[in-house]
Amino acid sequence: MTSVTAASGRPAEPEVIWTRPHRSGRGPRPAHSRESIAAEAVRIADADGIDAVSMRRVAAGVGAGTMSLYNYVPRKEDLYELMVDAVSGEYDLSAAPTGDWRADMLALARQTRDLMRRHPWLPRLLTPVHGFSPNALRYLEHCLECLAPLDAPDGDKLELVAAVNGTVATFVGSEQALAERARALPWSEAAEQRVRAAYLGSRLATGAYPRLAAALAGAGAAIPAHDDVFDRVVLRLLGGWG
């Protein structure tokens, strides 16, 4: 039997939330579920950020007392794990792998990008600890099925999945930072880009940066769409394998 602290009744030793009964203690049928608790926590995080998620606020959202919520979720860390698992269930893993592992992993990376856009707080909670919840295990199993044609050790394949997810998180983080900055500008983003382009042109015209000038000239004037850049970044990462 797992020992508990005298003060709170919560576990005093390491424990995995998935091995616990859905509600501790005896009594009538539970009034709440992990699914409803996780959904409320996700709703709060989506609206106000992960720092706004508290046991008190989640309890109020589901109509429970704060202390009674601990009967379902002993620690805030467990609540985070439930949240990650809940949104991991949004992956569509219904399609069988095509046999083209790079194409399949790119398709999964696109799903991960969409997932992180819907839930901007998610990258902060992506840790190896939270990576082994039921829905995360389904995702990892599917990834390994997609990577079956890749001639590499299974450990390397798991590293590749982690590298892809890390790349996606970095890309989405940059997108979010740019969007947040654009919202805070007192002028249009297009107006700022024109001013910055003019400044950059004046610097390049000095001849002090010949390689940069040549690279930018070769890239063309048009700014590539973020979706195109995303695909190229992921494919270049995948191109280093196999």
Side-chain angles (χ1 to χ4, degrees):
M1 178 179 294
T2 302
S3 63
V4 298
T5 61
S8 66
R10 282 172 275 167
E13 298 176 358
E15 182 176 68
V16 178
I17 184 67
W18 311 110
T19 64
R20 288 176 54 87
H22 278 233
R23 180 181 181 276
S24 62
R26 300 176 180 177
R29 183 177 179 176
H32 309 286
S33 67
R34 284 178 181 168
E35 291 76 15
S36 64
I37 292 168
E40 178 61 15
V42 168
R43 186 195 67 78
I44 293 169
D46 287 349
D48 300 322
I50 191 64
D51 293 330
V53 176
S54 67
M55 299 296 275
R56 182 184 299 276
R57 187 167 173 184
V58 173
V62 299
T66 302
M67 294 310 297
S68 68
L69 195 68
Y70 287 106
N71 290 323
Y72 302 87
V73 186
R75 305 176 302 151
K76 193 172 185 180
E77 186 71 15
D78 294 323
L79 180 61
Y80 288 159
E81 191 157 356
L82 292 178
M83 293 171 67
V84 172
D85 185 66
V87 300
S88 296
E90 296 176 19
Y91 278 105
D92 181 1
L93 307 178
S94 59
T98 66
D100 182 341
W101 65 267
R102 289 186 176 88
D104 290 339
M105 290 304 295
L106 175 59
L108 284 170
R110 289 170 177 164
Q111 284 202 57
T112 301
R113 183 188 181 200
D114 290 340
L115 194 67
M116 291 180 179
R117 284 171 154 181
R118 291 194 299 272
H119 309 292
W121 48 269
L122 181 58
R124 282 183 56 181
L125 299 188
L126 286 182
T127 70
V129 173
H130 295 151
F132 296 101
S133 67
N135 282 322
L137 289 173
R138 287 177 53 248
Y139 164 79
L140 287 173
E141 181 69 15
H142 186 78
C143 287
L144 291 175
E145 288 179 8
C146 292
L147 291 171
L150 173 61
D151 184 16
D154 288 338
D156 289 357
K157 293 179 181 180
L158 289 174
E159 287 183 9
L160 176 56
V161 174
V164 170
N165 286 338
T167 298
V168 176
T170 300
F171 195 95
V172 173
S174 177
E175 288 182 318
Q176 292 170 347
L178 288 172
E180 184 175 348
R181 184 179 185 279
R183 287 192 296 268
L185 291 175
W187 44 71
S188 72
E189 187 177 7
E192 170 149 327
Q193 288 298 331
R194 286 194 296 271
V195 171
R196 291 189 175 276
Y199 167 77
L200 177 59
S202 70
R203 296 299 88 204
L204 296 179
T206 65
Y209 312 98
R211 288 185 172 81
L212 179 58
L216 292 175
I223 298 176
H226 272 221
D227 290 348
D228 294 337
V229 174
F230 177 81
D231 285 2
R232 285 203 299 272
V233 167
V234 174
L235 287 173
R236 283 170 181 163
L237 171 65
L238 297 174
W241 295 71

